[in-house]
């Protein structure tokens, strides 16, 4: 872990309900003799975390991400119409989480901001971000840059045009007419057309309006690569976003370590629907979420040499570690810290409970 590291998350990571010296980040710091920059925001989910990281990360350092509680608890939008946002979260949240992991892991020198790329056609700055991303709704617009390494990645997304303000179940085209790496068009067309984009509600406010996608390609050759993307036609003025490009080698030792902490085992609270009836039990979603996050970390680590590690936080005595079915008390915060320290010392666990 670097001398200074960053923490991203929600109300658990900001220490809601406990003193500053009882927070899991403080306990980890004290044990390791490090300094933490805490960028967590109460109520945030994986898509919100993308914005926080893209707008604020300016140095290379280790990162710990403790997110997911607000992702698994989404069931309605502000209109009061229920959508199956839990299934849609698998499209929105996990793509966004993967982009967060990759942005944290890849050194700044290995990334190219889309605003610094070469563009033709019509592109505008993405309003959600202050430092990265360009967007285009015009077919045939191109964006191109050079990156160096064996593995090449692109963070990108799409937003529905005409229906975005009224239709929370909208679909947006996510088409690239052509993506070319080093003049090789076999990378071909990437299409996610018609995919449902998750919209999440926190206290009646829609906090996320679109979700990122992480595209990763193994070129099999370490060295400079030119990446060119051409946008496709769309029906409703949908915007295609390119956030940043990156590249790295399988033997590279300068990638930043990333730990992703699973949703804790004490989160068993039953949420209520608009009619006051119970909608679901958190635990089934928690286990599914954690299993998927673990698989994302392992895939990035084993297939692409990205140092991403999953931290499981099971609990056999949940009543002792929290007071509201959601936020850990000082014992719960310490439990999270000990799980983090154990993974740092012993590596990722192979079980999930």
């Amino acid at each position: 872990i670097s001398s200074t590291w960053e923490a991203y998350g929600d109300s658990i990571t900001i220490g809601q309900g406990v003193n500053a010296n009882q927070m899991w980040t403080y306990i980890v710091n004290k044990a390791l003799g490090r300094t933490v920059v805490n960028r967590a925001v109460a109520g945030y989910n994986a898509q919100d975390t993308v914005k926080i990281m893209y707008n604020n990360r300016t140095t290379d350092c280790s990162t710990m991400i403790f997110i997911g509680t607000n992702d698994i608890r989404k069931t309605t939008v502000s209109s009061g119409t229920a959508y199956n946002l839990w299934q849609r979260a698998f499209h929105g949240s996990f793509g966004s989480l993967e982009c967060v992991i990759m942005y944290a892991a890849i050194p700044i020198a290995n990334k190219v901001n889309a605003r610094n790329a070469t563009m033709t056609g019509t592109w505008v700055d993405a309003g959600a971000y202050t430092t990265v991303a360009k967007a285009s709704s015009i077919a045939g617009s191109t964006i191109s840059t050079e990156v160096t390494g064996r593995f090449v990645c692109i963070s990108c997304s799409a937003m529905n045009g005409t229906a975005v303000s009224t239709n929370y179940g909208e679909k947006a085209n996510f088409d690239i007419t052509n993506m070319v790496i080093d003049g090789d068009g076999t990378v071909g067309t990437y299409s996610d057309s018609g995919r449902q984009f998750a919209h999440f509600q926190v206290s009646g406010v829609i906090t996320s309006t679109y979700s990122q996608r992480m595209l990763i390609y193994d070129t099999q050759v370490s060295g400079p690569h030119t990446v060119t993307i051409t946008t496709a036609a769309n029906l409703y003025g949908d915007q295609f976003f390119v956030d940043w490009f990156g590249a790295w080698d399988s033997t590279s030792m300068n990638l930043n370590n990333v730990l992703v902490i699973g949703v804790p085992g004490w989160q068993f609270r039953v949420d209520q629907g608009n009619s006051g009836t119970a909608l679901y039990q958190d635990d089934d979603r928690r286990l599914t979420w954690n299993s998927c996050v673990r698989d994302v970390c392992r895939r990035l680590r084993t297939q692409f040499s990205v140092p991403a590690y999953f931290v499981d936080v099971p609990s056999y005595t949940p009543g002792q570690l929290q007071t509201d079915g959601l936020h850990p008390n000082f014992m719960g915060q310490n439990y999270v810290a000990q799980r983090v320290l154990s993974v740092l010392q012993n590596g990722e666990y192979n079980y999930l409970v």
Side-chain angles (χ1 to χ4, degrees), residues 114-115 119 123-130 132-135 239 241:
R115 297 187 185 188
M119 287 161 275
W123 295 86
V124 297
D125 289 347
Y129 304 124
T130 57
V132 304
K134 300 292 286 191
Q239 284 188 303
F241 295 78

Side-chain angles (χ1 to χ4, degrees), residues 46-47 50 71 84-99 156-158 170-171 174 190-200 210-214 289 292:
Q47 293 169 263
V50 172
D71 296 84
N84 192 352
L85 291 190
W86 165 235
Q87 292 186 6
R88 288 166 58 191
F90 277 85
H91 292 289
S93 295
F94 285 107
S96 297
L97 180 60
E98 192 170 14
C99 287
C156 51
S157 60
E170 86 280 354
K171 300 178 180 180
F174 195 84
Y190 180 86
S191 178
D192 212 355
S193 181
R195 178 169 65 90
Q196 291 279 355
F197 282 77
H199 282 255
F200 292 152
Y210 59 97
S211 55
Q212 272 66 25
R213 272 290 183 264
M214 174 53 58
W289 172 270
C292 291

Side-chain angles (χ1 to χ4, degrees), residues 255-306:
L255 271 68
N256 304 306
N257 290 317
V258 181
L259 273 67
V260 186
I261 304 170
V263 175
W266 60 71
Q267 294 195 2
F268 55 82
R269 186 167 71 182
V270 176
D271 271 23
Q272 307 297 314
N274 294 329
S275 64
T277 57
L279 289 177
Y280 59 82
Q281 187 81 21
D282 278 358
D283 200 54
D284 290 340
R285 296 184 175 191
R286 179 186 68 85
L287 291 172
T288 304
W289 172 270
N290 287 349
S291 177
C292 291
V293 173
R294 177 195 60 188
D295 291 347
V296 166
C297 290
R298 291 183 180 178
R299 179 177 62 85
L300 291 175
R301 194 171 67 249
T302 58
Q303 294 185 22
F304 303 111
S305 301
V306 176

Side-chain angles (χ1 to χ4, degrees), residues 122-237:
T122 303
W123 295 86
V124 297
D125 289 347
Y129 304 124
T130 57
T131 59
V132 304
K134 300 292 286 191
S136 178
S137 59
I138 306 301
S141 297
T142 67
I143 185 167
S144 179
T145 194
E146 182 178 278
V147 291
T148 301
R150 170 179 167 175
F151 301 109
V152 173
C153 72
I154 303 99
S155 169
C156 51
S157 60
M159 179 183 287
N160 181 278
T162 58
V164 69
S165 62
T166 58
N167 181 6
Y168 296 107
E170 86 280 354
K171 300 178 180 180
N173 290 326
F174 195 84
D175 292 355
I176 301 171
T177 299
N178 198 19
M179 181 178 292
V180 176
I181 298 179
D182 300 335
D184 181 2
T186 59
V187 175
T189 300
Y190 180 86
S191 178
D192 212 355
S193 181
R195 178 169 65 90
Q196 291 279 355
F197 282 77
H199 282 255
F200 292 152
Q201 178 189 9
V202 176
S203 301
V205 178
I206 300 297
T207 59
S208 299
T209 54
Y210 59 97
S211 55
Q212 272 66 25
R213 272 290 183 264
M214 174 53 58
L215 310 181
I216 304 177
Y217 301 95
D218 184 355
T219 68
Q220 299 291 323
V221 178
S222 176
H225 301 286
T226 300
V227 183
T228 302
I229 296 173
T230 305
T231 58
N234 63 80
L235 297 177
Y236 304 107

